[in-house]
Amino acid sequence: MFQDKDLQRTPLSEIGEFGMIDRIQSSFKNTQPTTQLGIGDDCAIIDYGEKAMLISTDMLTEGVHFNLAYVPLKHLGYKAIASSVSDVCAMNALPQQVLVSFAVSDRFPVEAIDELFAGMLIACQKYEVDLVGGDTTASKAGLVINVTAIGSCDKEKIVTRKGARENDLLVVSGDLGSAYFGLQILERENEVYKVNPNVQPDLRPYDYLIGRQLKPEARLDIIKLLEKLNVKPTAMIDVSDGLASEILHLSQQSKVGFTLDEEKIPLDQQVISAGEEFELNASIAALNGGEDYELLFTIKQEDYDKIKGNPHFTVIGFANDLQAGNHLVARGSNIKIPLTSQGWDAFYQYQKNVKNAEEE
Ligand code: ADP
Ligand code: MG
């Protein structure tokens, strides 16, 4: 195909990850009555009567999503499962099974793959999911991991990205920005290590940030808590690409805009300190970083009392008319800044890595 001289050669980076997905989606039409929802949400929904099956798949590639110079394989295994399970949680569903495929070069001994799967086992036990299949194959360079997660849910309990309505409250679980700073610190220390392998860094002041980067959790506990509190979100997504990008996904699918209050974005004290150290506004890390795997959702105003004061939840904004657009109200002011997404776009990350490799 690439030998065809008449074929236009548009760089992937020109349309980006989401542009590419739109392109694929536009040429495939669903025909099966069981396909309730296809491309475009955290999971596909397969309709089986009262219950629905939720399916999501995620791929991680060495050099783009992880750097084995500082990511232990056991953590990587845990994270691969957690990030896929997170997509099932984002539909308000309970994860049940995973399939794991990987491609590996002969650079990796058996013991390395054992470590990877030891991490996966811990995650499978934690989230109570069964490993029921996968595929094992060779790669010429590096490690590629793909995890498919399957969950189930009563049909009327499923939450998609679509259902937010004007005046709904925008809520996030946990706190944001930590995984981004965790990555910055690991990359910084890796650079120091390359120059002087004898330096032993003291990473204790950053333990929370590094933990959030290396071993994120899927918020299955939040799904169970929402059920207990009798709150069904009107729309939901998991925060894998940064808050701004996820808000824009909810906006696009629900046909509402959002007003986000910068002051309300939950930030851990270590994120605030790291922001000062890296001279980067900590809110930017929450907005444009990624991999926090918290749940971002909307609730009806009448449900506010059910979550009020709960330390797991923060109301960070509300839904407004689509025409009014998506805005951030800057800290300590009434200034409204249009919300744009710079999320974690794998194609840009790939380009950055290639550029770095060329410079080295
Ligand atoms: P998430 O960040 O929740 O994992 P993505 O941003 O990766 O979701 O994907 C968005 C949507 O596009 C999902 O519904 C996903 O299944 C779909 N998608 C991504 N890549 C492809 C592909 N190559 N073919 C078909 N669907 C895809
Ligand atoms: Mg997702």
Side-chain angles (χ1 to χ4, degrees), residues 11 17 42 49 51 53-54 78 86 93 95 107 142 147-148 176 184 220 222 232 236 239 248 253 311 313 336 340 355:
E17 178 183 345
D42 294 297
K51 291 256 179 195
M53 183 161 91
L54 293 301
Y78 190 95
S86 174
R107 190 180 112 224
V147 179
T148 300
L176 299 172
Q184 299 312 306
L220 179 56
I222 294 292
K232 184 188 169 199
M236 184 152 58
V239 185
L248 294 178
Q253 298 262 341
F313 301 117
K336 279 186 159 189
T340 55
K355 197 163 150 272

Side-chain angles (χ1 to χ4, degrees), residues 144-339:
V144 179
I145 305 165
N146 175 249
V147 179
T148 300
I150 301 172
S152 109
C153 190
D154 291 341
K155 245 159 56 185
E156 78 274 5
K157 288 188 179 159
I158 296 175
V159 178
T160 67
R161 298 176 180 181
K162 263 195 181 109
R165 295 286 167 264
E166 238 178 288
N167 299 322
D168 281 357
L169 301 174
L170 183 65
V171 186
V172 72
S173 66
D175 55 76
L176 299 172
S178 324
Y180 173 83
F181 279 122
L183 181 63
Q184 299 312 306
I185 287 149
L186 288 167
E187 290 208 333
R188 183 179 72 185
E189 296 312 324
N190 187 43
E191 291 306 312
V192 173
Y193 177 83
K194 281 198 275 188
V195 177
N196 186 351
N198 297 320
V199 174
Q200 278 295 324
D202 181 9
L203 296 177
R204 275 171 304 179
Y206 311 110
D207 57 349
Y208 180 67
L209 307 178
I210 291 170
R212 293 273 289 177
Q213 167 59 223
L214 291 181
K215 195 174 165 287
E217 298 291 355
R219 299 307 308 261
L220 179 56
D221 59 327
I222 294 292
I223 297 307
K224 292 178 176 169
L225 179 59
L226 287 170
E227 165 92 14
K228 207 172 103 194
L229 296 172
N230 194 24
V231 175
K232 184 188 169 199
T234 52
M236 184 152 58
I237 188 169
D238 68 332
V239 185
S240 55
D241 292 344
L243 183 59
S245 168
E246 315 305 1
I247 288 177
L248 294 178
H249 283 310
L250 291 181
S251 161
Q252 193 188 13
Q253 298 262 341
S254 292
K255 313 254 179 301
V256 291
F258 286 98
T259 302
L260 169 67
D261 198 343
E262 185 188 359
E263 220 153 45
K264 302 268 171 61
I265 299 174
L267 303 170
D268 186 82
Q269 188 51 48
Q270 284 195 9
V271 167
I272 294 164
S273 307
E276 284 162 12
E277 194 179 328
F278 283 82
E279 294 182 9
L280 176 81
N281 184 341
S283 312
I284 303 283
L287 286 163
N288 296 335
E291 302 192 289
D292 288 312
Y293 298 105
E294 294 296 341
L295 292 171
L296 176 71
F297 55 94
T298 49
I299 60 168
K300 293 193 190 109
Q301 289 213 6
E302 66 209 52
D303 281 337
Y304 174 64
D305 281 344
K306 299 181 191 165
I307 64 149
K308 191 171 69 179
N310 191 309
H312 294 292
F313 301 117
T314 312
V315 177
I316 55 174
F318 62 90
N320 48 251
D321 178 30
L322 180 65
Q323 306 304 324
N326 292 284
H327 291 95
L328 172 82
V329 180
R331 190 183 301 279
S333 77
N334 286 324
I335 301 169
K336 279 186 159 189
I337 305 163
L339 205 59

Side-chain angles (χ1 to χ4, degrees), residues 17-18 21 24-25 38-44 55-58 87 161 237-238 240-241 246 249:
E17 178 183 345
F18 297 126
I21 294 171
I24 296 168
Q25 187 176 15
I39 297 173
D41 216 298
D42 294 297
C43 285
I55 312 182
S56 175
T57 195
D58 262 313
D87 277 321
R161 298 176 180 181
I237 188 169
D238 68 332
S240 55
D241 292 344
E246 315 305 1
H249 283 310

